[in-house]
Amino acid sequence: MIITLVGGGSTFTPGIVKSIALRREELDVTEVRLFDIDKERQDKVAVVVDWLLHEDLKCDIKLTVTTDPETAYTDAAFIFAQMRVGKYAMREKDEKIPLRHGCVGQETCGCGGMAYGMRTIFPMMQVIDDAEKYAKPDHWILNYSNPASIVSEACRRLRPNARIINICDMPIAIIDMVAAAMGIKNKKEIVYDYYGLNHFGWFTSIKHNGKEILPALREYIMEHEILLPDTYMKDKAALAANTSKGNRHAKGSWYYVWKGVYEIMQNFPDTLPNTYLNYYLQQKEFVEHSDPNHTRANEVMETREKNLFEGIDRYLETGKIEENVFYAGSHGDWIADLAVALKNDTKTRFLVITENRGALPNIPYDAMVEVPAYVGKDGPEVIAQNTIPLFQQGLMMQQLNCEKLLVEGCIEGSYEKVLQAFTLNKTVPSMKVAKEVLDDMIEANKDFWPELK
Ligand code: G6P
Ligand code: MN
């Protein structure tokens, strides 16, 4: 059983491989393949993956490291796709260009997310085509390449029969925080309902062992004025220091979105919002507290990335790997759990990004939505949700049409449609600003984007 990681040079690769290796019995995995177009970067990450598999965990799993698609995909059963087109250097531009124009600067939301989407659509189709050509006929692509909403809409449009499941770990990370805040040790005892688009949704119910805990959680958030567990808040220095230790979602500028959950719930207390909604509901405030010269991309390059690559260099010199060189967390665990569910037909409940087909009654049939589903060998069986209230539905429709226009504009090479997408996005104050940001983005992305006419 072969698992291929696309984007093998990612800082997340060692953590994900660790999660796979810890489930080697359930997955029956015999080989892990790393595939990337950046050989130098991937070769470095592979050093620590090799150490992890063969020295640390002493597994009998073969490791193959390649830049050749045929070698990467041949007979693979699972393809975990986590590519970042343009790497952190382009993430930095996605974040900084909109800020220069007074708009939210974020890797997956607003103009930055749209720019990133336009870089990723076609490389993602290449992954699907190569998998189709070389991998096992019943392969699954588990895709968490961002921006997942835009990428999954492009998959639906361009490769409707692809064996791909699009997913995101943010709701999982939120549930991790909820569990820690509420003192729940085993988060597998938590079952929740959720509706939305990717990075744009709401929890309507969170149950622990069958008991609704949303009211108690609301009380916690109101009392603490943030959705972060006490343990994190006590160590304010650690939060600010943004080191590689501990939960990465509690570090650096992530602080603001956990604070923002409180701010949103002060006004709209019925549901627990996805942290990303802050960029759309508090766009002005986010611009105000952002530093246009130092964004999350810089934080990541100065911590997770630096830590990993320097740690690998030191290992090559000294033969010793220090603790916390690489980031491992629920991100990798949950993706490996999803593979276990598909392989062993467990019908475990996950959130997936999938074509609506009536699951959300007042959202278009063909929207790519994020909803709970039971996952077994044939893929997700979606759990329908209730009619969405007008406020949330209105927000979703604006975002949905924005993303659909962007994907259409990208496929057709239409400047007008892409400009409409930028103009429609809730983080953008006017058509004129939309055009200014778009024109700067075209310049910055000229090596990546299709030509817009
Ligand atoms: C969450 C989101 C991902 C996103 C990541 C960024 O996990 O679900 O889609 O890429 O955060 O985290 P970072 O530490 O790179 O800012
Ligand atoms: Mn995500």
Side-chain angles (χ1 to χ4, degrees), residues 12 84 88 91 107-108 146 168-170 199 248-249 254 276 296 300 304 331:
F12 291 121
R84 182 180 283 283
Y88 288 114
R91 175 175 180 176
E107 67 159 343
T108 65
N146 266 328
C168 166
D169 72 326
M170 194 67 236
H199 288 190
R248 81 191 152 91
H249 285 116
W254 272 98
Y276 281 98
R296 178 66 189 160
V300 172
R304 195 166 67 229
H331 179 75

Side-chain angles (χ1 to χ4, degrees), residues 20-38:
I20 293 171
L22 293 176
R23 290 160 184 74
R24 55 190 179 274
E25 310 264 288
E26 291 151 281
L27 285 169
D28 202 15
V29 54
T30 51
E31 182 177 352
V32 167
R33 293 193 190 143
L34 306 186
F35 172 59
D36 205 303
I37 54 172
D38 183 339

Side-chain angles (χ1 to χ4, degrees), residues 76-246:
F78 285 101
I79 292 124
F80 291 7
Q82 48 156 1
M83 66 170 96
R84 182 180 283 283
V85 181
K87 292 177 272 194
Y88 288 114
M90 287 307 294
R91 175 175 180 176
E92 189 179 0
K93 292 189 184 176
D94 293 340
E95 293 169 350
K96 289 183 179 173
I97 291 172
L99 280 172
R100 282 212 301 265
H101 297 276
C103 299
V104 165
Q106 215 281 326
E107 67 159 343
T108 65
C109 300
C111 301
M114 290 187 277
Y116 187 13
M118 289 197 35
R119 291 200 300 278
T120 312
I121 289 176
F122 293 108
M124 196 58 223
M125 296 311 124
Q126 189 64 50
V127 171
I128 293 173
D129 293 346
D130 288 340
E132 176 78 30
K133 189 164 167 197
Y134 300 118
K136 292 186 95 171
D138 61 349
H139 69 267
W140 281 109
I141 304 172
L142 306 188
N143 182 46
Y144 39 109
S145 304
N146 266 328
S149 254
I150 291 166
V151 171
S152 57
E153 167 64 7
C155 293
R156 187 191 70 80
R157 288 277 311 254
L158 297 172
R159 300 291 185 276
N161 300 318
R163 294 183 61 82
I164 185 165
I165 302 180
N166 294 289
I167 38 180
C168 166
D169 72 326
M170 194 67 236
I172 313 289
I174 294 172
I175 292 296
D176 280 354
M177 291 300 185
V178 169
M182 304 304 285
I184 297 169
K185 290 213 175 60
N186 180 4
K187 65 179 179 191
K188 297 211 162 140
E189 293 166 356
I190 297 178
V191 175
Y192 52 87
D193 274 308
Y194 183 99
Y195 68 79
L197 311 170
N198 177 240
H199 288 190
F200 205 100
W202 293 264
F203 293 85
T204 53
S205 158
I206 304 177
K207 288 186 175 150
H208 177 229
N209 287 331
K211 184 174 171 277
E212 184 61 67
I213 59 165
L214 204 47
L217 177 67
R218 184 183 307 123
E219 252 173 59
Y220 177 96
I221 295 169
M222 289 305 128
E223 191 187 319
H224 293 74
E225 302 186 357
I226 195 163
L227 171 56
L228 278 182
D230 275 338
T231 41
Y232 292 103
M233 293 311 294
K234 277 195 196 112
D235 198 353
K236 288 234 167 62
L239 259 178
N242 192 24
T243 63
S244 64
K245 280 193 189 169

